[in-house]
Amino acid sequence: MKTIDELLAEGVGGKRVFVRADLNVPLDGTTITDDGRIRAVLPTVARLAEAGARVIVASHLGRPKGAPDPAFSLAPAAARLGELLGADVAFATDTVGDSAKAVVADLADGRVAVIENLRFNPGETSKDDAERGAFADQLAGLADLYVGDGFGAVHRKHASVFDLPARLPHAAGGLIATEVAVLKKLTDEVRRPYAVVLGGAKVSDKLGVIDHLLEKADRILIGGGMLFTFLKAQGHEIGSSLVQEDQIPVVQEYLKRAGERGVEFVLPVDVLVAAEFPDLRTKAPAHPDTVAADAIPAGKMGLDIGPETGRLYASKLLDAETVFWNGPMGVFEHPDYAEGTRAVAQALVDSPGFSVVGGGDSAAAVRILGFDENAFGHISTGGGASLEYLEGKTLPGLAALED
């Protein structure tokens, strides 16, 4: 795929460049609580602007139902992008309507605009090729060139991700180039031992990547809500913990395959439990108990890996040459259940190997828990996209950028 370096070498001065970014940031009302994705695309936007392009930044935010919804407006993201650029950023209050056309028409060389949430138009996410294509045609009318740099969306067959690049000369932005290079280190150019840490709520969300990594990884460590399906699959009592009963046979098969292939499957030896889910709004003390992972009392739910497991997992990561981590170890948003996730993050920092934080909640946890982002080999901006790449799937947004 063509790189942004090649695009810049050809000259972009005075040209309208559509940058498909990922500004899907978490909001508390209109306050951005984590601007990592905006900062990730900043170098691409800045380079284009400095080269004299008229830059049109577009993104989705949240899951509006194909119509404008003020709760999902990109206005806060546009304001933050301007602050980071140190320059005014124009904002269009629609995607392809009068506001977008006027804002783009008024753009001077070297200036930047953001158009409103792409998902306010039903054509963006439509499963109908014609409807999606019609929206892509309208977007193409705003620009001369296309730069794909929204890695967090490349696994979606959406108009701005998949259809639009076919309508304009296109290139991959710096963020996508970096993300793909990192993922190749996790698939084609792996240094061993290769350890994978998987967490999050549901084991069903990770089945594809586990299946694929059984052929790649040397050890797989399990945490988060999904761990209780693994414990149940081993015949252990899990109290009222989250479990996906229908996935137990699949998990049992994975454990069997791991044993046959010599892949070390590491499960918790202790967990933190409580009678109820913590209040994440007030962060009121939860007073959890620490129990053996195979002896969770009835009426209690597991909410984090325990301290002994944290030490065990750290020991399994410190000698790894490559580490991929996706999914928190517990309900890290509450301080009483953050230590398992903190232990894994610290182990990645301490490991001399190449460490990758696989986006999503894992990336958010790193920032919320106060870690220096530069202490990790790479923090991905796309959890879902990373997982699908590791599953061996073709990602529509990457395929569309290939010539």
Side-chain angles (χ1 to χ4, degrees):
M1 62 180 68
K2 179 182 283 188
T3 67
I4 190 172
D5 292 334
E6 293 172 301
L7 191 69
L8 290 168
E10 293 171 358
V12 296
K15 294 183 179 180
R16 300 169 300 163
V17 182
F18 188 104
V19 178
R20 198 345 177 152
D22 180 8
L23 308 181
N24 185 27
V25 292
L27 294 171
D28 182 2
T30 58
T31 302
I32 297 171
T33 57
D34 180 0
D35 66 357
R37 283 175 169 163
I38 301 175
R39 287 185 286 109
V41 77
L42 189 66
T44 290
V45 174
R47 291 183 71 192
L48 289 167
E50 289 165 3
R54 303 176 184 187
V55 187
I56 305 151
V57 180
S59 176
H60 70 287
L61 193 153
R63 296 177 182 270
K65 301 185 183 300
D69 183 338
F72 297 107
S73 174
L74 278 174
R80 181 58 179 151
L81 178 61
E83 292 173 359
L84 292 169
L85 284 171
D88 290 336
V89 168
F91 181 67
T93 56
D94 56 26
T95 56
V96 292
D98 291 342
S99 179
K101 292 173 183 175
V103 165
V104 171
D106 287 343
L107 266 183
D109 294 357
R111 307 302 290 183
V112 178
V114 173
I115 63 174
E116 187 54 284
N117 192 336
L118 292 164
R119 291 185 182 176
F120 285 0
N121 190 304
E124 170 68 1
T125 59
S126 176
K127 290 184 172 19
D128 181 82
D129 291 348
E131 184 179 15
R132 233 180 31 251
F135 183 48
D137 287 338
Q138 291 179 291
L139 291 172
L142 298 175
D144 305 305
L145 303 169
Y146 176 94
V147 172
D149 217 25
F151 180 74
V154 294
H155 59 313
R156 306 297 188 190
K157 193 177 181 181
H158 290 171
S160 66
V161 175
F162 178 74
D163 302 275
L164 184 54
R167 289 157 167 79
L168 293 171
H170 51 265
L175 173 61
I176 278 186
T178 297
E179 295 274 14
V180 171
V182 166
L183 287 168
K184 285 183 178 179
K185 292 183 179 181
L186 301 177
T187 52
D188 304 327
E189 306 160 8
V190 179
R191 292 185 297 165
R192 299 185 180 279
Y194 179 16
V196 176
V197 188
L198 296 175
K202 295 181 179 180
V203 67
S204 57
D205 294 340
K206 303 292 195 300
L207 289 179
V209 75
I210 293 173
D211 183 64
H212 203 68
L213 287 172
L214 283 172
E215 309 295 323
K216 302 277 187 181
D218 297 302
R219 61 186 74 127
I220 300 174
L221 288 60
I222 301 295
M226 62 187 288
L227 75 88
F228 302 104
T229 301
F230 279 86
L231 292 177
K232 187 75 176 289
Q234 291 184 321
H236 300 312
E237 173 59 50
I238 61 167
S240 58
S241 304
L242 180 68
V243 64
Q244 289 185 281
E245 296 280 356
D246 61 325
Q247 301 299 332
I248 288 176
V250 180
V251 167
Q252 290 172 330
E253 175 62 24
Y254 285 167
L255 291 170
K256 178 183 176 184
R257 279 177 56 197
E260 291 171 349
R261 296 191 60 83
V263 177
E264 185 180 7
F265 237 109
V266 190
L267 295 175
V269 294
D270 62 345
V271 295
L272 299 188
V273 300
E276 59 187 17
F277 198 83
D279 188 330
L280 299 183
R281 182 178 57 84
T282 66
K283 305 289 198 302
H287 306 296
D289 296 319
T290 302
V291 301
D294 60 358
I296 299 173
K300 294 291 183 76
M301 64 177 69
L303 295 162
D304 192 16
I305 60 173
E308 186 60 34
T309 301
R311 290 187 284 272
L312 170 66
Y313 283 15
S315 72
K316 298 293 183 179
L317 299 175
L318 290 177
D319 70 336
E321 288 294 324
T322 305
V323 182
F324 174 71
W325 169 35
N326 180 277
M329 297 294 97
V331 188
F332 73 93
E333 300 92 339
H334 192 286
D336 288 348
Y337 302 108
E339 292 309 305
T341 301
R342 187 189 303 278
V344 167
Q346 187 62 55
L348 264 66
V349 170
D350 295 339
S351 172
F354 180 65
S355 60
V356 178
V357 180
D361 286 342
S362 307
V366 163
R367 299 183 183 107
I368 289 171
L369 296 177
F371 285 88
D372 178 359
E373 295 180 43
N374 295 320
F376 301 89
H378 180 69
I379 298 179
S380 177
T381 57
S386 295
L387 289 176
E388 290 200 14
Y389 189 100
L390 292 180
E391 287 178 42
K393 291 183 177 180
T394 297
L395 306 188
L398 296 184
L401 294 174
E402 297 287 352
D403 292 322

